[in-house]
Amino acid sequence: MKVAVLMGGSSFERGFSLASGKQVCGALEAAGHTVVPLDTTKELVPALRSERPDVCYSALHGKHGEDGTIQSLLELLGIPFVGSSAAVCRKTWNKALLPSVVTAYRAATGGAPAAAWPQGICIARDAFKDMGAATALDLIAERIGGGFPFAVKPACGGSAMGVHKVSQHEDLGEAILDALSYDAEVIIEQWIDGTEIAVSVLGEGKDAQVLPPVEIVPAQGLYTTEARMSVNAVELFCPVRAASLSADEAAAQAARDAVESAALEVYRAYGVHGLGRVDLIWDGTQARVLEVDVSPGMTELSLFPAACTASGLTLSAVLDRLVGAYAS
């Protein structure tokens, strides 16, 4: 098939997207497809209408790639594409919607709860800019509970851009300002200590299947933006090590089951399909979900390819299957 691979764009995550797109192009070419790499400039629509691909694969990360923008454009053009619809992407893009989306899903399905999440609040930039919210930062500790440290992050975005661990009140304002430089809303929530895990998922609905969970161990304590592009800044263990979940073998297996169940619940609650990744923390008792990624990174250092390898799959085979499923 002729597959258009969309990459680059103008978001903060352009560099990650170009690296992902390069890997995706190579994997699809290895599977025998004709690949048309396209940067998402103002020439994108004329290029797509001229090339007439059988299917698109979006390797765009961040704004325009994961917020429903590129998906809605492809829906307008009538070009099939791998992954979730624009409507789904609009929901997953805003991390603040996670509790309401999963709660509504549970009410509709009657399923047993599997996922938990940090308690937090979301505040708009305009509340700080026009309404004096900065004078009420002393109330945040009361609203969240558990006390410092807090996680401060943009409500929308990825690759850990604008994310801070705040250990004292004096540092809260600066962290909020930095997070708001990336997005119009900021989330302030409990900081969860534990084992950082990414669960990649393939498929949709009841047929969705998890790949082996990836344990993330940064060299400097935080899985920062820089660490995601540096070979020596992080160790990945796939599947997650049993000892990182519990010293008891049976308890470790139960914890892994809980992690996978939490990821599937959230993936299904949003209606994600094709592929995705659920990022969470195992806090020793439960899986605390942080976000859902509808366009997982595909670089040599990314989590999704690591999970594919651990399951005995090549990235080429997985992407071949996906483009085949979504092509018209």
Side-chain angles (χ1 to χ4, degrees):
M1 291 183 292
K2 179 187 282 191
V3 185
V5 177
L6 312 183
M7 64 184 83
S10 58
S11 81
F12 293 115
E13 299 178 63
R14 175 177 172 83
F16 288 99
S17 175
L18 289 171
S20 283
K22 180 180 179 181
Q23 289 295 112
V24 170
C25 287
L28 288 172
E29 286 172 349
H33 299 287
T34 299
V35 175
V36 182
L38 295 174
D39 200 341
T40 53
T41 67
K42 292 181 179 179
E43 301 304 315
L44 177 63
V45 169
L48 286 171
R49 299 186 76 176
S50 173
E51 291 287 352
R52 301 176 61 86
D54 297 302
V55 63
C56 283
Y57 183 96
S58 174
L60 290 169
H61 302 319
K63 189 176 181 181
H64 298 163
E66 299 178 66
D67 62 358
T69 299
I70 193 65
Q71 292 80 12
S72 62
L73 174 60
L74 293 172
E75 288 169 359
L76 168 65
L77 296 174
I79 300 174
F81 59 92
V82 173
S84 297
S85 67
V88 168
C89 294
R90 291 187 191 106
K91 290 190 294 182
T92 59
W93 179 236
N94 191 334
K95 302 176 184 68
L97 298 181
L98 174 68
S100 60
V101 169
V102 178
T103 299
Y105 174 76
R106 289 173 180 170
T109 62
W117 44 82
Q119 180 184 350
I121 56 176
C122 181
I123 309 175
R125 181 193 294 140
D126 287 350
F128 288 94
K129 180 181 177 182
D130 302 326
M131 303 175 189
T135 64
L137 296 186
D138 58 304
L139 300 177
I140 287 177
E142 297 178 26
R143 298 294 179 265
I144 296 178
F148 287 92
F150 295 144
V152 176
K153 61 189 182 184
C156 303
S159 299
M161 293 181 174
V163 176
H164 297 267
K165 180 179 183 180
V166 178
S167 299
Q168 57 185 3
H169 178 79
E170 290 74 16
D171 299 329
L172 193 54
E174 184 178 353
I176 290 172
L177 284 174
D178 184 61
L180 287 174
S181 71
Y182 291 92
D183 187 54
E185 293 182 310
V186 60
I187 294 174
I188 308 165
E189 65 186 13
Q190 297 167 321
W191 182 269
I192 306 299
D193 286 315
T195 302
E196 190 168 0
I197 300 172
V199 184
S200 297
V201 187
L202 288 171
E204 60 185 87
K206 292 182 179 180
D207 295 327
Q209 296 181 330
V210 297
L211 300 180
V214 181
E215 178 186 352
I216 304 159
V217 184
Q220 299 299 323
L222 296 180
Y223 191 35
T224 62
T225 305
E226 293 74 19
R228 293 161 194 245
M229 295 293 281
S230 176
V231 175
N232 300 317
V234 63
E235 283 189 277
L236 302 179
F237 298 93
C238 192
V240 55
R241 296 171 296 180
S244 299
L245 301 174
S246 175
D248 177 77
E249 185 176 345
Q253 183 58 55
R256 176 171 168 176
D257 292 343
V259 162
E260 294 179 353
S261 295
L264 280 173
E265 181 187 35
V266 172
Y267 186 93
R268 289 166 175 159
Y270 277 101
V272 179
H273 48 89
L275 75 165
R277 196 189 71 235
V278 180
D279 297 339
L280 52 84
I281 305 287
W282 176 255
D283 68 3
T285 303
Q286 57 187 344
R288 303 281 203 104
V289 174
L290 304 178
E291 64 178 294
V292 183
D293 189 339
V294 295
S295 181
M298 294 292 178
T299 73
E300 293 178 343
L301 304 177
S302 293
L303 306 167
F304 187 92
C308 290
T309 299
S311 15
L313 301 170
T314 64
L315 184 60
S316 182
V318 170
L319 295 179
D320 178 54
R321 188 173 87 184
L322 285 168
V323 298
Y326 283 86
S328 57

